[in-house]
Amino acid sequence: MNYTLTGHDLKHAAEEMLLQLLPAALLRQNTDDGVQDFCHSALHEQAGMMVVDTQTRLSGVVRTSQRQADVTGQDEMARKRTASELVKLGIYDTVAPSLKTPPDWGALTGVRPAKLVRSLLDRGLTRGQVAERFRSRYFVSPARTALAVRCAAYAQQALEQMEDNTVSLYLGIPFCPSRCAYCSFVSSSIEKSADLIAPYVDALCEEVRKTGQLLREHGQKVTSVYIGGGTPTTLSAEQLARLMDVTANAMDFSALREYTVEAGRPDTITPEKLRAIRAGGADRVSINPQTMEDAVLERIGRKHTAQDMVRAYEQARAAGFPVINMDTIAGLDGDTPEGFAYTIEQLVQLDPENITVHTLAIKRGADLSDRAGNAAQQDTVAQMLDFAMDCLPRAGYGPYYLYRQKFSAGGFENVGWCKPDTESFYNIAMMEEIQTILSCGAGGVSKRVERDTGRITRYNAPKYPREYLQAGARIDAGKRRLLGESEDQSC
């Protein structure tokens, strides 16, 4: 599809909306050639009103829309938000009528719908008014509207309970026994990178010590710790124990409320590792089957069976973890709505405290055939997620956080479900951006969140283990800048 913009340069907003509605489209910012599908978005202002006119041609059918808003008194940032929203709504108006099934999230393209709910509540709207705006202005389905409002309530509760001068801590282990077919995370298989693990643990322990010193200098306590990956249990029991011991000694844990380690795959889990994790202070562990169908596990490159996952879960229970999370993914290659329903039912029978339901998202840079196949999954994935949204509440689980990824099948979401009082504070803090998170390890993204203004500043560590091993001083300086120190202070 060719598209043009007049009176504005909101290319990202236009493309984001077009790709949500037409995920297999090849977009070009180019003039109308009279043959291809075409979209034109034009913005102008008149007497304090911002006006966006949109004209779209799809399969020979032309539709037009005009959206406007009063921008009198708005500052530059507010004006840009208004313009972006009008551009997206105009495109939605002219494209959605051509779709067999409009997306359940309507014209909302952001990854954090619950954060938008909170911002509207902060402006004085009631929850009922927020829900009405989601449905009537953004065309969000009633089910997704309810999901966003419920998750926003958990985020607000976490915000109200959060102490001042606290942060959360993420430690990244970018190694896996093998790479899953769907994975888009920075991760190295141990088949190719086993020689990097020992020096990586050394470097990570040193970064943790320096980060702990930095936090103490700033009077910051740690609220939650999350060790993720990759697959942290790729490390040996001794390496895990060492890392967790260094972390406990480096940080002020007097305000610690939870400590999570991703165990991930059963082919890396042993009773010895689980005992080391529990002894190291973790009270939550994540064991992630993704599916309980052996044929699907084989297709996605997992070298274990569903029964192996049951064994790992029982070992985690025996190790004494009070909260266990289990992940699954809707839309995996070879899976069916019936197979996904079987997976959810099996997880409910195991009775973990948390179940996270992800929607498959294709990798960045995927070609058009992959994107087209992903779009074709919409009906299948919708059936899968509908089953989860029906089954899990009946089993005593409620949604507590959600986020969306670009190019997920059908534009759907990832949702954390929990039993009462077992929600993960770290997941809420990370996804809703309500607290500063400092990351240690390759590929880590540290975020400084200013609670009074909502301003967010980021620092990205080097992505890959080999780069990370040579970047210690640069990482330390980056974190010091993130926390507001000058260059002289960071020397």
Side-chain angles (χ1 to χ4, degrees):
M1 167 179 272
N2 289 348
Y3 73 94
T4 55
L5 310 176
T6 302
H8 69 87
D9 59 356
L10 297 171
K11 176 180 178 180
H12 176 76
E15 291 194 347
E16 194 173 39
M17 190 73 261
L18 285 167
L19 287 175
Q20 176 159 305
L21 298 170
L22 304 168
L26 176 60
L27 301 181
R28 297 187 182 90
Q29 192 170 356
N30 205 350
T31 57
D32 183 4
D33 61 9
V35 177
Q36 299 185 71
D37 292 341
F38 179 73
C39 179
H40 177 60
S41 173
L43 181 151
H44 70 275
E45 291 189 35
Q46 182 176 353
M49 299 295 292
M50 183 178 288
V51 181
V52 172
D53 291 294
T54 310
Q55 183 179 79
T56 300
R57 183 180 64 243
L58 284 173
S59 302
V61 178
V62 176
R63 290 185 175 88
T64 62
S65 166
Q66 184 176 89
R67 289 274 184 166
Q68 58 186 7
D70 188 347
V71 293
T72 305
Q74 288 190 356
D75 61 23
E76 183 177 353
M77 183 174 293
R79 289 168 60 84
K80 186 172 182 179
R81 283 198 300 265
T82 298
S84 179
E85 180 174 291
L86 293 177
V87 166
K88 291 178 182 180
L89 289 172
I91 292 172
Y92 186 90
D93 291 341
T94 57
V95 174
S98 298
L99 304 180
K100 176 184 174 183
T101 305
D104 273 31
W105 284 105
L108 280 188
T109 59
V111 299
R112 296 179 173 86
K115 192 172 182 180
L116 175 59
V117 172
R118 289 190 295 114
S119 72
L120 294 172
L121 292 172
D122 288 344
R123 292 185 219 171
L125 275 68
T126 67
R127 286 192 297 175
Q129 289 170 330
V130 170
E132 172 59 24
R133 177 172 293 201
F134 264 53
R135 292 190 297 263
S136 64
R137 182 169 179 81
Y138 303 122
F139 312 104
V140 180
S141 73
R144 263 63 194 186
T145 295
L147 193 64
V149 172
R150 288 169 185 161
C151 291
Y154 273 99
Q156 188 59 38
Q157 176 182 312
L159 193 57
E160 292 169 357
Q161 295 175 350
M162 193 167 63
E163 297 180 39
D164 293 332
N165 300 318
T166 59
V167 303
S168 283
L169 180 69
Y170 177 84
L171 309 182
I173 310 297
F175 301 99
C176 284
S178 62
R179 193 169 184 85
C180 297
Y182 58 81
C183 185
S184 60
F185 288 95
V186 176
S187 179
S188 302
S189 70
I190 57 175
E191 298 165 345
K192 299 179 179 178
S193 305
D195 60 319
L196 292 177
I197 293 179
Y200 181 87
V201 172
D202 290 342
L204 181 58
C205 286
E206 182 60 23
E207 185 186 357
V208 168
R209 292 189 189 96
K210 290 182 177 179
T211 300
Q213 178 184 344
L214 176 61
L215 290 175
R216 290 179 185 276
E217 291 171 5
H218 284 262
Q220 301 280 348
K221 301 176 181 179
V222 175
T223 299
S224 66
V225 179
Y226 195 102
I227 302 181
T231 306
T233 41
T234 300
L235 304 185
S236 67
E238 293 75 18
Q239 289 169 329
L240 286 164
R242 177 190 170 201
L243 175 61
M244 296 180 76
D245 183 59
V246 167
T247 303
N249 289 326
M251 306 292 166
D252 183 345
F253 275 178
S254 61
L256 190 69
R257 55 192 293 175
E258 67 178 40
Y259 195 143
T260 305
V261 177
E262 279 190 7
R265 294 167 53 161
D267 43 341
T268 68
I269 297 171
T270 65
E272 293 75 20
K273 291 181 184 181
L274 290 169
R275 286 195 293 270
I277 292 168
R278 188 74 180 102
D283 54 359
R284 307 172 71 101
V285 68
S286 188
I287 297 173
N288 304 329
Q290 315 305 11
T291 175
M292 296 296 278
E293 294 271 23
D294 286 344
V296 180
L297 285 170
E298 185 175 357
R299 289 185 71 140
I300 65 175
R302 289 281 186 124
K303 301 183 184 300
H304 63 81
T305 66
Q307 188 55 42
D308 292 330
M309 186 59 64
V310 174
R311 182 258 311 159
Y313 176 84
E314 291 172 347
Q315 289 174 343
R317 280 290 181 226
F321 288 95
V323 178
I324 298 177
N325 172 72
M326 302 189 83
D327 279 10
T328 186
I329 300 177
L332 290 171
D333 183 26
D335 206 358
T336 63
E338 295 76 20
F340 183 81
Y342 173 79
T343 291
I344 294 294
E345 289 168 344
Q346 291 298 299
L347 297 190
V348 166
Q349 285 186 23
L350 287 173
D351 201 32
E353 285 69 29
N354 293 181
I355 295 175
T356 305
V357 179
H358 295 275
T359 301
L360 182 68
I362 64 171
K363 301 172 188 177
R364 290 181 181 178
D367 63 26
L368 283 177
S369 62
D370 285 336
R371 285 166 52 190
N374 200 51
Q377 283 261 66
Q378 180 170 344
D379 290 343
T380 298
V381 171
Q383 292 179 56
M384 294 175 173
L385 297 181
D386 285 348
F387 181 85
M389 292 178 73
D390 176 64
C391 177
L392 292 175
R394 287 189 286 106
Y397 297 88
Y400 77 93
Y401 84 95
L402 80 150
Y403 67 101
R404 301 170 66 205
Q405 290 175 273
K406 291 182 180 179
F407 303 127
S408 63
F412 287 113
E413 68 286 330
N414 306 316
V415 181
W417 297 82
C418 69
K419 290 185 175 181
D421 299 322
T422 66
E423 64 272 14
S424 166
F425 174 83
Y426 176 86
N427 284 337
I428 295 172
M430 168 60 77
M431 299 307 167
E432 292 299 309
E433 299 181 321
I434 61 174
Q435 185 190 43
T436 294
I437 307 240
L438 287 188
S439 294
C440 297
V445 179
S446 296
K447 295 181 183 180
R448 179 187 176 188
V449 178
E450 297 178 24
R451 290 183 63 178
D452 52 345
T453 65
R455 183 170 179 261
I456 295 172
T457 309
R458 292 172 173 81
Y459 172 72
N460 296 353
K463 265 190 173 186
Y464 302 104
R466 291 188 189 278
E467 297 174 292
Y468 170 78
L469 291 175
Q470 318 210 347
R474 178 155 54 93
I475 292 171
D476 185 51
K479 285 183 180 174
R480 289 185 177 276
R481 287 194 301 273
L482 184 75
L483 294 181
E485 294 188 8
S486 68
E487 290 292 334
D488 290 338
Q489 287 176 295
S490 64
C491 293

